Amino acid sequence: GGWTIAWQGTADRIGFGYGSTILEALTARYPGAMITYDQGCNVTEGSTCDPNAVKKSLINAAAAEVVVVCLGETHYAEKPGDIDDITLPGGQIGWFQQIAAVNKNTLMVLVEGRPRVLAGIADLAASVLHTYLPGPSGGEAVTDVISGAYNPSGRLPITYPRTVNNAPLQYNRRMCANSAADYQPQWQFGTGLSYTTFALSGLVCSEMMPIGWACSVNIANTGTMDGAFTALFFARQLWRPIAPEAARVVGFQKVFIPAGTTQTAQIMVSINSVSYFDEYNCEIGFDAPIDITVFNTDQTSNVTTQVAGYAFRQTSCTNWVGLWQANTGFNYIIPTAPPSASKSELTEAYFISSVVCFGAGIVGTVILITWLRKRGNQKAGSLLEPTAI
């Protein structure tokens, strides 16, 4: 990675002799195996694949029991690492497609400092291991996971884009900004598989106001391998005056669960973790229902419970809108709910302001059409003929 020995990092094994590469670690782990190495493509930006090297790698891949393909990007740091296209570079996409076509038992190992768009090749892999930039001990860590010596339990801390056009894409997007159909990432925030399986049950949240809700969920290890489970608790308020997020992480706990046993993950969801800030920079709690969900590793067998929202309003806050208007002399229509507004008053204020803005838009449209008609009558032969309005 960047800042390894040098500013932009280094691949010099003589100058940096610590740790081991993925190839070195696999060779050391399986001394009796016949491991063949081929560099079919280069990972640098704008590079191309060597046709002869690709041909040789396909021959070896077809004859192998297991193929481990390491894809990604070179080391970088700061401005020199900026790119215009986040697609996986250097012809690696086409190369992997050819490898997967000759051997279905192909594992994909991603070594990258940022998400690179994979153009569908992840669906061709038997499994995908995302390592980021794993450092000098990354070779041993990757080998531990591939060999089964370590049962992975990590969760993706980002939303991994499927295409260039849907990046960046956040899991906590506003519900009115993207519909469910628009949210189609490669992998969702919190994705992470394990060599064992888990079953979730008994999600309960007890009200402890004015602090929040005490939530717990039972997690059963239904597989044959010991493993750790990271319980991510998401909250989604069904409605409020300012559009709520599709999901928001409100807490997490990682628990180790031996095979065939059940453990409980517990967190405290504070009222502040589900609040929002209005146009006056006041923190608001809204009393609409809130869904609390814990996602399983497969992202499908999840559990959800619902709690009643807790209404509150910060009593002392800075009116940044008012300060800005006072200093600039610029004014515009905003909701004018009083600081002590109740739920009904707050909703009414937003409704009235919406009606006022909508009515102003209609009046403005009528004035514009009238002006265009007059202008069209005055200027014969213009692009906007009176009969076209």
Side-chain angles (χ1 to χ4, degrees):
W3 288 106
T4 301
I5 301 299
W7 176 34
Q8 292 300 307
T10 180
D12 183 7
R13 295 293 290 149
I14 298 176
F16 187 71
Y18 303 101
S20 61
T21 65
I22 296 174
L23 175 63
E24 291 168 346
L26 283 171
T27 303
R29 182 65 56 88
Y30 299 102
M34 185 177 70
I35 298 179
T36 304
Y37 169 75
D38 292 300
Q39 182 177 343
C41 294
N42 199 309
V43 298
T44 56
E45 305 296 328
S47 62
T48 58
C49 303
D50 182 346
N52 293 326
V54 169
K55 183 178 180 180
K56 181 174 177 288
S57 68
L58 292 175
I59 294 173
N60 290 329
E65 293 183 51
V66 179
V67 182
V68 178
V69 182
C70 298
L71 305 175
E73 58 184 356
T74 188
H75 40 79
Y76 62 89
E78 300 175 27
K79 190 63 179 177
D82 289 356
I83 54 177
D84 297 321
D85 186 357
I86 63 172
T87 305
L88 198 67
Q92 298 177 80
I93 292 174
W95 179 50
F96 188 88
Q97 289 172 335
Q98 296 178 73
I99 293 287
V102 300
N103 195 319
K104 300 300 181 183
N105 198 18
T106 299
L107 315 181
M108 178 189 295
V109 179
L110 293 174
V111 183
E112 54 188 9
R114 55 203 157 190
R116 304 301 295 259
V117 169
L118 303 175
I121 60 174
D123 299 329
L124 305 176
S127 61
V128 179
L129 177 61
H130 196 281
T131 70
Y132 302 98
L133 298 178
S137 298
E140 288 90 346
V142 169
T143 300
D144 283 344
V145 173
I146 291 177
S147 65
Y150 177 78
N151 189 2
S153 60
R155 294 297 191 99
L156 198 63
I158 58 173
T159 300
Y160 201 110
R162 182 177 296 274
T163 64
V164 174
N165 289 336
N166 73 356
L169 186 64
Q170 292 79 29
Y171 82 98
N172 59 341
R173 66 205 183 281
R174 297 289 180 179
M175 291 177 63
C176 62
N178 293 311
S179 65
D182 295 329
Y183 184 68
Q184 298 293 330
Q186 181 69 59
W187 295 293
Q188 296 185 46
F189 174 92
T191 298
L193 298 178
S194 170
Y195 287 138
T196 190
T197 54
F198 300 97
L200 308 181
S201 64
L203 175 60
V204 294
C205 292
S206 303
E207 188 174 292
M208 299 182 66
M209 295 306 168
I211 301 173
W213 303 267
C215 298
S216 64
V217 63
N218 298 322
I219 310 162
N221 185 339
T222 56
T224 59
M225 190 174 186
D226 297 346
F229 183 90
T230 303
L232 295 173
F233 291 77
F234 293 85
R236 180 175 71 95
Q237 191 154 38
L238 302 188
W239 66 83
R240 68 185 185 207
I242 294 178
E245 302 85 359
R248 183 194 293 187
V249 173
V250 291
F252 66 91
Q253 185 181 28
K254 190 170 188 175
V255 291
F256 180 78
I257 311 172
T261 65
T262 301
Q263 300 290 334
T264 301
Q266 299 177 322
I267 68 161
M268 188 70 192
V269 180
S270 71
I271 59 173
N272 305 97
S273 65
V274 294
S275 65
Y276 67 95
F277 288 84
D278 66 4
E279 70 279 6
Y280 301 103
N281 200 40
C282 292
E283 186 177 8
I284 304 293
F286 199 63
D287 59 353
I290 300 171
D291 284 343
I292 305 293
T293 301
V294 179
F295 286 89
N296 206 337
T297 54
D298 60 7
Q299 297 282 317
T300 56
S301 54
N302 313 315
V303 289
T304 300
T305 189
Q306 191 172 95
V307 299
Y310 180 75
F312 72 91
R313 184 185 180 91
Q314 185 180 351
T315 57
S316 177
C317 47
T318 303
N319 185 350
W320 295 109
V321 173
L323 290 177
W324 180 73
Q325 290 178 341
N327 287 307
T328 62
F330 184 83
N331 294 302
Y332 59 94
I333 298 176
I334 57 173
T336 55
S340 59
S342 63
K343 171 189 173 183
S344 60
E345 292 172 330
L346 190 61
T347 304
E348 181 181 359
Y350 277 89
F351 175 76
I352 293 173
S353 63
S354 299
V355 171
V356 170
C357 292
F358 180 73
I362 293 177
V363 172
T365 303
V366 172
I367 293 173
L368 176 61
I369 292 175
T370 303
W371 179 80
L372 288 173
R373 284 184 179 276
K374 291 181 178 180
R375 183 176 177 83
N377 289 327
Q378 293 172 357
K379 287 188 173 183
S382 65
L383 293 176
L384 283 175
E385 296 291 344
T387 55
I389 299 177

